[in-house]
Amino acid sequence: LPISTPPTPINGLLGVGGVGQSDFLWYVRTRPRVLEAFARLWAVDAMYEDAESCAAALLTSFDGAGAFRPWASDRRWRTMPGWWHVDQNSRAAAPRRGRCAVQGLVSLKRQDATTGGFAVLPGSHRGHEALCANSASTIGGAGHFVPLRGGDPLLAAASARFVSCEAGDLVCWDSRTIHCSVPAFGGDGGASALSEAAAGARLQRDCLLRLTAYVCMSPKRVAPEAVRRQRKIW
């Protein structure tokens, strides 16, 4: 990754230093199976017969990445739990209602209880309107990042589910679904991997507990013409 800034200790996000336009992110976005998955999600594959036409019918976000460092080396590297949020606001200045975005991540490493990773509140998209109605009193305001307050009834109404996955898996979710990343709730914080690296049995860069590339694609047809032109300029 062409960045020198480490992931934020709060949530492990990598979103600065041009990471969204890095070779790493563009490599992941252009994998045939990733494009195929989003083409199927939006039924673009039913409109075109070949993969190249399907890909050309999609617009991609310029999301960043995420990484969890082995916090056995430094306790300050252990990310924080509980930053539940959605990335779609039906009450924003430019409101988005219904299923209008499907977010995704491609995991570059196996994710389980010993690493931490992605968690969701299944079915929470049904309470999206209620959440957004109260978003003016949160950090979200008129934007599309809508965090939940600690006492929000939506947190009590659903059981959190950790999403285990293998390296190379694509995980997708409706943007109205409440989600966040969570730290490991087991394991040794990467201590064994660090010991192997110290002994020369593994590369230091392979000691990351988590490495993900965030990917989100939508049909080009839903974007206003001005947005399409701006994308071409970029």
Side-chain angles (χ1 to χ4, degrees):
L1 292 175
I3 57 174
S4 57
T5 303
T8 59
I10 295 176
N11 50 33
L13 289 180
L14 289 160
V16 298
V19 64
Q21 297 296 336
S22 66
D23 290 343
F24 166 59
L25 263 300
W26 278 113
Y27 177 83
V28 173
R29 292 172 188 141
T30 55
R31 294 311 84 204
R33 296 297 295 274
V34 172
L35 291 165
E36 178 185 352
F38 280 100
R40 287 185 176 184
L41 280 168
W42 293 108
V44 171
D45 60 333
M47 302 171 62
Y48 303 96
E49 295 182 356
D50 61 287
E52 185 175 347
S53 296
C54 285
L58 294 169
L59 281 180
T60 184
S61 64
F62 294 149
D63 285 312
F68 287 178
R69 292 175 287 180
W71 50 266
S73 176
D74 188 332
R75 294 287 300 186
R76 293 172 298 179
W77 291 354
R78 190 173 191 270
T79 58
M80 301 293 291
W83 61 293
W84 297 104
H85 67 283
V86 297
D87 296 296
Q88 179 179 323
N89 189 353
S90 65
R91 304 297 181 93
R96 297 172 187 165
R97 295 183 173 86
R99 197 192 81 162
C100 59
V102 175
Q103 295 171 261
L105 65 83
V106 174
S107 181
L108 280 295
K109 300 180 74 70
R110 187 174 187 270
Q111 302 290 265
D112 57 27
T114 68
T115 64
F118 181 73
V120 295
L121 296 185
S124 57
H125 66 287
R126 300 187 188 96
H128 183 249
E129 281 291 335
L131 171 60
C132 294
N134 296 323
S135 68
S137 59
T138 70
I139 303 170
H144 283 285
F145 175 74
V146 185
L148 273 75
R149 293 169 292 180
D152 196 299
L154 290 173
L155 290 174
S159 298
R161 180 178 298 172
F162 179 80
V163 181
S164 299
C165 60
E166 299 295 327
D169 281 353
L170 169 66
V171 179
C172 293
W173 64 97
D174 187 315
S175 287
R176 296 170 295 173
T177 303
I178 299 168
H179 63 281
C180 71
S181 63
V182 294
F185 43 96
D188 60 7
S192 57
L194 290 168
S195 296
E196 292 177 10
R202 138 190 331 241
L203 295 175
Q204 191 77 27
R205 69 188 183 196
D206 291 335
C207 293
L208 286 174
L209 296 176
R210 185 187 194 217
L211 180 61
T212 60
Y214 293 107
V215 185
C216 178
M217 296 184 186
S218 297
K220 189 181 296 184
R221 64 176 182 268
V222 304
E225 184 60 31
V227 173
R228 298 191 204 182
R229 287 198 302 270
Q230 189 65 40
R231 283 301 184 94
K232 289 181 179 179
I233 293 173
W234 285 341

